[in-house]
Amino acid sequence: WESRRALSGSLDNCVRLWDLEEGACLHTMPGHADVICGVVVDWSLSLAVTFCKAGLLILWDLKLGQPRHLLLAHCGPVGDVEVDWKAPRALSLGADSALRLWDLSLGQQAWSIDLCGDGDLEE
């Protein structure tokens, strides 16, 4: 957590970047179609991934307050996301029982596994 900034997701489907010293909203970032379930931030890179109930992941450029990539990730809510910022890639798990690996530099899915199916890797 970077002491001067915070990132929030809300019921109005917007992500907000806050200046905690001034108590001011720096950016209001619309883009999600449903309630935001979580945020993952790397303050040193000024990047964030947010995810929502509609199954969408968004990679944000926090300096610009703009999306870099919209990832149509899952059929239904995204339950959790882990990000390896050095790679850069993200792993998402959805209520659709799919585990997906994302290439964040390209904004593309690398592979997917149906956890309730046969477990075969889909590329």
Side-chain angles (χ1 to χ4, degrees):
W1 175 44
E2 199 254 343
S3 62
R4 293 195 62 227
R5 305 269 191 260
L7 193 67
S8 66
S10 64
L11 297 174
D12 69 357
N13 310 342
C14 290
V15 176
R16 288 181 176 78
L17 179 63
W18 299 93
D19 181 322
L20 297 179
E21 291 179 355
E22 299 293 324
C25 180
L26 301 174
H27 294 293
T28 298
M29 303 178 289
H32 284 286
D34 206 335
V35 174
I36 297 166
C37 301
V39 300
V40 182
V41 181
D42 186 313
W43 295 111
S44 65
L45 296 174
S46 294
L47 294 174
V49 172
T50 58
F51 51 99
C52 75
K53 282 188 161 187
L56 181 68
L57 273 70
I58 300 179
L59 175 64
W60 297 96
D61 180 321
L62 297 179
K63 286 183 182 175
L64 300 175
Q66 298 291 322
R68 282 198 182 173
H69 297 296
L70 302 174
L71 308 171
L72 301 176
H74 296 276
C75 298
V78 179
D80 199 10
V81 172
E82 290 291 327
V83 179
D84 178 351
W85 294 105
K86 291 179 184 176
R89 59 186 175 195
L91 192 63
S92 64
L93 177 63
D96 57 1
S97 299
L99 181 67
R100 302 188 194 282
L101 182 69
W102 300 93
D103 180 325
L104 295 179
S105 61
L106 299 175
Q108 296 178 350
Q109 178 181 296
W111 55 253
S112 174
I113 297 174
D114 180 359
L115 298 175
C116 289
D118 56 16
D120 286 342
L121 182 67
E122 298 173 22
E123 295 185 46

